[in-house]
Amino acid sequence: MSEETKKTEEQIEATEVKKTTAQAETTIAKAEKPTEETIKEVKTPVVAEQVTEEVEAPIVEVVNPEEFLASFDWHKFEEGIEAVDEDNLKAFEAALDGTLGLVNEREVIEGVVIRKTDREAIIDINSKSEGVISLNEFRYNPNLAVGDKVEVLVDKREDSTGQLVLSHKKARVIKAWDRVNNAHETGEVVNGFVKCRTRGGMIVDVFGIEAFLPGSQIDVKPIRDYDQYVEKTMEFKVVKINHEFKNVVVSHKALIEADIEIQKKEIIGKLEKGQVLEGVVKNITSYGVFVDLGGVDGLVHITDLSWSRINHPSEVVELDQTLNVVILDFDDEKTRIQLGLKQLNAHPWEALDESIKVGDKVKGKVVVLADYGAFIEVAQGVEGLIHVSEMSWSTHLRSAQDFVKVGDEIEAQVLTLDREDRKMSLGIKQLHPDPWTNIAEKYPVGSTHIGTVRNYTNFGVFVELEEGIDGLVYISDLSWTKKIKHPSDFTAVGDKLEVQVLELDVEGRKLNLGHKQTNENPWDAHEDKFAIDSIHEGTVKDKSDKGLIVSLEDGVEAFVPSRFIIKEDGTKLTKGDTDKFKVIEFNKEFRRVVASHTSIFKAQEEKNIKAVQQKADTSEKTTLGDLGGDLAALKKKMEGK
């Protein structure tokens, strides 16, 4: 290559570099993305072969290629823009912070209600679009209005339709625990919406969290109607938090206890016995009434409610009733206060008619019944006792319920009267003549009567001949023939029974009766029929270790000892066998017959032996050897049997 040609190529290359540098500077100066034509124009190299004409080389500044390539901005050349310094980028981001339209998902921010419909609220969070939240999430705040600021959670910046998705409920839940914990630590009073009733209390919405309000924490006094608080907004104090189970307990009672405590100290400091205070019935129990004295509770026992006897405090007072009570007593710390209501009025005994005396007849109403008697109210607050023994002349005592019942209006006689100790005893039976006055005339010994079985014991039966006249029939006087173990085997309570008066003790008011005496004694006839050595047919009824019980004629039972139950063949009689028996003992007084079966054939054997002996004695021809032979034969016969 000639020197001239080499010089021309260097000039052309310098010209192209200068053009390229100028184009790059123009692109950066415009600060916009280069077009495809520009990039193509910059990137398209110009070769020497394309120069068809010889041009005059302009004068250019000579650039060192090595220095140019070392400082060349390839990013600007390729991207068409100049690279920004890192510090400048951070400064740019800081400048954009807070600029409209930039929000992060899952971020809780504050929005403004710009419009409301029947179902939704439109919330502006200074983004490129507004969010829509259902009004169901604002049920706790029915007064939500346009312009109110509310906390919302950015659920999604854009959904499938490009809509911003917000949630007020989720935002409340996120913030709620911080607020609840802060309220618990600081004792802050919070507002809550009572959603519904539950077992033992209420469910309250506090900052979007469902908290539990126990029934005992609603008010200082017991609440009987929880429904009156449902769907109401009230003030509460957070009293307990369980972080493990996410449980919150609130109290409305705690807010008013402080004021009540001050009142309570003032009242307790002024308490004195005998002081009369106004209170409200707080609770009614079976044993008394609790009265709220203004933060301090006192008990009016049922016996201090009324001078009259009552069955339940509700007969005198009712819940929420305002009444005056008197302080009867209290403990050293004045925490247990005993109150009285009846003490505000004079004792009824002081107003009792002075003319009433022992022996007078009075009328009254049965107010209380007990097994031992009945209490009769003869005047307001004045009662007398009728013991059960004074209700009937009968010595066979019964329960008071057998004679009167609560509410009966009865007449009675005053038996004792002690105005100082305020005691009175009454009697009913005294209004009727004593049936024992002429008992000897009405029920002489030997007379027969029909009575009613009232009761029985192991030894006999009590039979009532009339009201107040009872007699005893011993078990031995029930039957001539039957052996009775217990009176219930013979008769029952309420049965009619014919009896005969056996003994009469007027002073001791005792009457001895008998039932079997109303019939003839069959043992008078049995004495002849079942004479000793008489033989009768009988059936073995029962068997024991000592012998047999055998039923004979006319219902007579005989006892056969074990040694007399052997039959002629050597076997023994057993239950159910029928055979003949000989009477060996008869006792009319104890109605006892003893018989024997063995004695029947034993007697025959003895009779045969006697006959042989008589024959030997009367026969002159009989030799001693012959007699011995006859006796031997007889013995052999007996042994064979």
Side-chain angles (χ1 to χ4, degrees):
M1 181 181 293
S2 63
E3 185 177 351
E4 185 178 355
T5 304
K6 184 177 180 181
K7 185 179 180 180
T8 302
E9 289 179 351
E10 290 177 353
Q11 290 176 349
I12 293 172
E13 182 179 359
T15 302
E16 293 298 328
V17 170
K18 189 176 181 178
K19 287 182 179 180
T20 302
T21 302
Q23 289 175 349
E25 290 176 352
T26 302
T27 303
I28 294 173
K30 289 181 180 180
E32 57 184 25
K33 192 175 181 179
T35 62
E36 294 181 359
E37 292 77 4
T38 306
I39 294 173
K40 185 177 181 182
E41 182 179 354
V42 172
K43 288 186 176 182
T44 303
V46 180
V47 296
E49 289 77 5
Q50 290 177 318
V51 180
T52 56
E53 295 181 359
E54 184 177 350
V55 295
E56 186 177 350
I59 299 173
V60 296
E61 183 180 357
V62 178
V63 179
N64 188 343
E66 295 180 357
E67 293 179 358
F68 176 80
L69 291 175
S71 61
F72 185 75
D73 190 349
W74 292 100
H75 176 80
K76 176 180 176 182
F77 177 75
E78 292 177 354
E79 299 294 336
I81 57 174
E82 187 176 355
V84 182
D85 185 68
E86 185 69 22
D87 293 336
N88 292 335
L89 283 176
K90 291 181 178 180
F92 180 73
E93 290 177 356
L96 289 177
D97 189 18
T99 306
L100 300 182
L102 295 178
V103 293
N104 296 323
E105 290 187 357
R106 314 310 300 173
E107 182 182 358
V108 177
I109 60 177
E110 191 177 72
V112 179
V113 180
I114 60 174
R115 188 157 55 92
K116 275 183 65 178
T117 66
D118 294 339
R119 297 182 180 179
E120 299 167 331
I122 312 302
I123 310 298
D124 181 16
I125 60 170
N126 290 333
S127 183
K128 64 179 181 180
S129 62
E130 292 82 18
V132 179
I133 300 178
S134 173
L135 289 180
N136 288 333
E137 298 191 20
F138 297 96
R139 283 186 298 178
Y140 74 97
N141 183 13
N143 299 321
L144 183 69
V146 174
D148 289 352
K149 294 182 178 181
V150 294
E151 291 179 336
V152 294
L153 173 72
V154 181
D155 216 348
K156 290 183 180 180
R157 285 189 292 188
E158 289 185 359
D159 60 6
S160 58
T161 61
Q163 177 67 43
L164 176 66
V165 181
L166 304 177
S167 174
H168 176 62
K169 182 177 181 180
K170 292 180 180 179
R172 291 186 73 209
V173 171
I174 292 174
K175 293 291 185 179
W177 278 103
D178 294 337
R179 294 180 178 178
V180 167
N181 288 323
N182 183 62
H184 184 228
E185 293 173 359
T186 62
E188 177 189 354
V189 178
V190 299
N191 288 330
F193 178 75
V194 182
K195 298 177 65 176
C196 62
R197 283 190 58 178
T198 187
R199 184 177 180 180
M202 316 283 286
I203 298 298
V204 180
D205 187 325
V206 179
F207 303 137
I209 294 176
E210 289 190 349
F212 177 60
L213 172 64
S216 60
Q217 296 298 315
I218 298 177
D219 205 337
V220 291
K221 60 182 180 180
I223 302 300
R224 290 173 287 279
D225 182 16
Y226 288 4
D227 293 334
Q228 61 180 315
Y229 297 97
V230 176
E231 296 186 355
K232 286 187 177 181
T233 300
M234 301 171 59
E235 291 184 338
F236 300 99
K237 187 175 181 180
V238 180
V239 295
K240 185 177 181 181
I241 297 178
N242 188 321
H243 294 279
E244 181 179 357
F245 297 101
K246 299 295 183 181
N247 291 337
V248 179
V249 180
V250 296
S251 171
H252 179 69
K253 175 183 176 181
L255 298 178
I256 55 179
E257 279 183 334
D259 295 336
I260 292 178
E261 190 64 27
I262 296 174
Q263 298 176 9
K264 184 176 180 179
K265 290 181 180 179
E266 293 179 357
I267 294 173
I268 290 178
K270 298 177 181 178
L271 287 181
E272 295 180 1
K273 293 182 181 180
Q275 185 179 8
V276 178
L277 299 175
E278 184 179 80
V280 179
V281 178
K282 182 178 180 180
N283 191 20
I284 298 177
T285 67
S286 59
Y287 55 85
V289 175
F290 288 94
V291 179
D292 183 1
L293 302 176
V296 180
D297 291 347
L299 173 65
V300 183
H301 195 269
I302 186 172
T303 56
D304 292 319
L305 283 172
S306 173
W307 292 113
S308 301
R309 189 181 296 269
I310 58 175
N311 295 316
H312 196 273
S314 57
E315 299 175 16
V316 180
V317 297
E318 58 185 18
L319 287 173
D320 299 327
Q321 178 182 350
T322 301
L323 43 76
N324 290 328
V325 290
V326 60
I327 298 177
L328 302 180
D329 200 1
F330 46 77
D331 58 7
D332 295 337
E333 297 178 357
K334 298 182 180 180
T335 55
R336 294 184 179 181
I337 306 172
Q338 182 181 348
L339 305 175
L341 181 62
K342 70 180 184 181
Q343 287 78 5
L344 296 175
N345 301 316
H347 199 289
W349 273 84
E350 298 176 4
L352 184 65
D353 191 351
E354 291 289 342
S355 62
I356 296 178
K357 60 184 182 299
V358 175
D360 288 350
K361 295 180 182 179
V362 293
K363 291 183 178 180
K365 182 173 68 173
V366 180
V367 291
V368 176
L369 267 182
D371 290 338
Y372 57 85
F375 288 92
I376 312 299
E377 188 177 49
V378 297
Q380 182 69 29
V382 179
E383 297 176 359
L385 172 65
I386 303 179
H387 194 270
V388 66
S389 61
E390 303 298 338
M391 293 183 175
S392 172
W393 288 108
S394 175
T395 56
H396 174 58
L397 299 182
R398 287 170 276 174
S399 174
Q401 286 87 344
D402 296 333
F403 299 96
V404 295
K405 61 180 181 294
V406 175
D408 285 352
E409 296 283 348
I410 63 173
E411 187 178 27
Q413 183 177 329
V414 179
L415 302 182
T416 62
L417 180 61
D418 188 343
R419 293 179 181 271
E420 193 171 316
D421 290 340
R422 295 169 179 171
K423 292 181 180 180
M424 180 190 301
S425 63
L426 307 173
I428 298 176
K429 70 180 185 181
Q430 288 77 9
L431 301 179
H432 307 283
D434 187 353
W436 283 84
T437 304
N438 56 350
I439 186 70
E441 299 176 3
K442 292 169 42 176
Y443 302 102
V445 174
S447 60
T448 302
H449 310 276
I450 301 294
T452 304
V453 177
R454 290 300 182 192
N455 193 13
Y456 43 66
T457 64
N458 292 331
F459 55 83
V461 178
F462 287 98
V463 178
E464 184 182 58
L465 300 180
E466 66 172 82
E467 181 70 27
I469 304 296
D470 291 345
L472 175 62
V473 180
Y474 284 99
I475 192 171
S476 59
D477 290 321
L478 288 174
S479 175
W480 289 111
T481 57
K482 294 182 179 179
K483 293 183 178 180
I484 302 170
K485 295 181 180 180
H486 192 273
S488 60
D489 298 334
F490 184 82
T491 186
V493 174
D495 288 352
K496 297 294 182 181
L497 192 67
E498 187 177 10
V499 294
Q500 185 181 101
V501 179
L502 303 181
E503 295 179 10
L504 178 60
D505 182 1
V506 178
E507 292 183 1
R509 292 179 178 256
K510 292 181 179 180
L511 199 59
N512 188 14
L513 307 175
H515 172 66
K516 70 181 184 180
Q517 288 78 5
T518 59
N519 302 310
E520 292 184 3
N521 188 354
W523 287 88
D524 293 337
H526 295 338
E527 188 175 12
D528 297 331
K529 186 173 183 178
F530 296 97
I532 294 177
D533 291 336
S534 60
I535 297 176
H536 308 273
E537 188 176 86
T539 302
V540 179
K541 180 182 178 182
D542 202 358
K543 181 180 180 180
S544 66
D545 295 338
K546 295 182 179 181
L548 304 176
I549 301 297
V550 179
S551 296
L552 304 177
E553 305 99 297
D554 300 333
V556 176
E557 293 182 352
F559 175 68
V560 181
S562 298
R563 66 180 182 275
F564 296 129
I565 65 174
I566 301 174
K567 296 192 289 185
E568 192 174 1
D569 59 1
T571 60
K572 294 182 179 181
L573 291 169
T574 185
K575 186 176 180 180
D577 289 349
T578 300
D579 215 321
K580 290 185 178 182
F581 298 89
K582 178 190 283 189
V583 178
I584 59 177
E585 182 184 340
F586 181 88
N587 190 315
K588 175 182 175 182
E589 182 180 357
F590 295 102
R591 303 190 301 278
R592 176 181 173 86
V593 176
V594 180
S596 170
H597 173 69
T598 305
S599 299
I600 295 177
F601 63 85
K602 285 288 185 182
Q604 184 63 39
E605 292 175 358
E606 293 175 359
K607 186 177 180 181
N608 292 338
I609 292 174
K610 288 181 181 180
V612 171
Q613 289 177 345
Q614 289 177 358
K615 183 178 179 181
D617 293 339
T618 57
S619 176
E620 296 179 355
K621 297 181 179 180
T622 303
T623 65
L624 184 60
D626 294 335
L627 181 60
D630 292 339
L631 290 173
L634 178 60
K635 181 179 180 182
K636 184 177 181 180
K637 179 181 177 182
M638 291 178 63
E639 290 177 352
K641 292 184 177 181

